[in-house]
Amino acid sequence: MSTEKDEVLEEIVEEVKTEPEKKEKKASKKDKENKRITELEEALKESEDKYLRMLAEYDNFKKRTQKEKESLYKEGIADSVANLLTVLDNLDRAAAVDVSQSDAQSVVDGVNKILEQAKEVFSKMGVEEIAAKGEKFNPELHNAVMHEENEEYEENTVSEVFLKGYRIGDKIIRHSMVKVAN
């Protein structure tokens, strides 16, 4: 029996000895968990900070891009107007002609020269006239405002142009206003 008591006693002593180790392991495990939580919280804060910076950069990018678009638009208008100023100057001169000292033909010749100058300016800007008279009617290019029975033209052919149409590349600036033969 004494051996049995000794064995129980030894087990109790062993338990008492290992209990601090168990507590130490539990504490160590808790410390590791707390450390991991702290690391994760720091990583989350860092990610949130990166996100906020990126959001701010994107907002600045949008604002900067909008300003650049507005600036390019204004520059485009200014360049176009600068090209047209010589035409405007010549129209001013034509309007200032003293009709009592000029014949009508010279005024018409001057206006025709100004018209050619305007066409040249538009051509340099990439603006071209849309061909219409005698062409097949195309609703993407032409706006039919009248129809007529006309034997001279095939069906759905433009017989008369009331207002010329213009385009830049594939972009239609103004459709041609036309009469179409049926």
Side-chain angles (χ1 to χ4, degrees):
M1 193 133 170
S2 122
T3 48
E4 206 172 289
K5 279 183 182 178
D6 289 335
E7 283 178 20
V8 170
L9 193 58
E10 275 181 38
E11 282 179 25
I12 292 173
V13 169
E14 191 64 36
E15 249 181 69
V16 170
K17 285 182 182 177
T18 59
E19 194 168 306
E21 288 176 12
K22 287 181 184 177
K23 284 183 181 177
E24 203 174 286
K25 282 183 183 178
K26 282 184 183 179
S28 174
K29 189 174 180 181
K30 220 177 220 185
D31 287 344
K32 285 181 183 178
E33 288 175 355
N34 287 340
K35 185 177 178 184
R36 180 69 178 146
I37 289 171
T38 304
E39 289 173 357
L40 290 173
E41 286 174 345
E42 287 175 9
L44 178 62
K45 284 180 185 177
E46 190 176 307
S47 294
E48 286 175 345
D49 186 50
K50 283 181 183 179
Y51 171 75
L52 290 174
R53 287 181 197 211
M54 195 179 323
L55 191 61
E57 285 178 22
Y58 177 70
D59 190 46
N60 289 339
F61 170 76
K62 279 180 21 182
K63 289 176 184 175
R64 188 173 53 248
T65 303
Q66 184 63 32
K67 284 180 185 177
E68 287 173 1
K69 281 181 185 178
E70 290 171 4
S71 173
L72 287 174
Y73 180 75
K74 288 177 183 176
E75 287 177 26
I77 289 174
D79 289 345
S80 299
V81 169
N83 288 329
L84 291 170
L85 286 178
T86 55
V87 175
L88 184 63
D89 293 340
N90 287 331
L91 286 170
D92 282 340
R93 286 187 200 99
V97 167
D98 185 6
V99 288
S100 65
Q101 295 181 352
S102 302
D103 65 288
Q105 187 59 48
S106 65
V107 172
V108 169
D109 290 343
V111 170
N112 282 330
K113 286 180 182 177
I114 295 170
L115 180 62
E116 288 303 314
Q117 183 185 28
K119 287 180 180 179
E120 186 179 313
V121 168
F122 280 123
S123 176
K124 286 180 182 176
M125 291 170 38
V127 176
E128 56 187 39
E129 185 180 319
I130 296 172
K133 189 165 183 171
E135 300 286 324
K136 272 291 202 201
F137 174 73
N138 181 346
E140 293 179 9
L141 304 175
H142 308 123
N143 181 16
V145 294
M146 290 180 75
H147 293 275
E148 71 174 341
E149 296 296 328
N150 191 332
E151 299 294 324
E152 291 180 36
Y153 296 97
E154 292 181 25
E155 190 175 332
N156 285 327
T157 302
V158 175
S159 61
E160 190 175 343
V161 177
F162 298 116
L163 194 60
K164 292 179 181 179
Y166 294 91
R167 68 176 166 197
I168 296 177
D170 290 337
K171 178 160 179 53
I172 304 298
I173 299 171
R174 180 175 73 191
H175 291 78
S176 299
M177 197 177 297
V178 298
K179 182 191 290 185
V180 178
N182 287 337

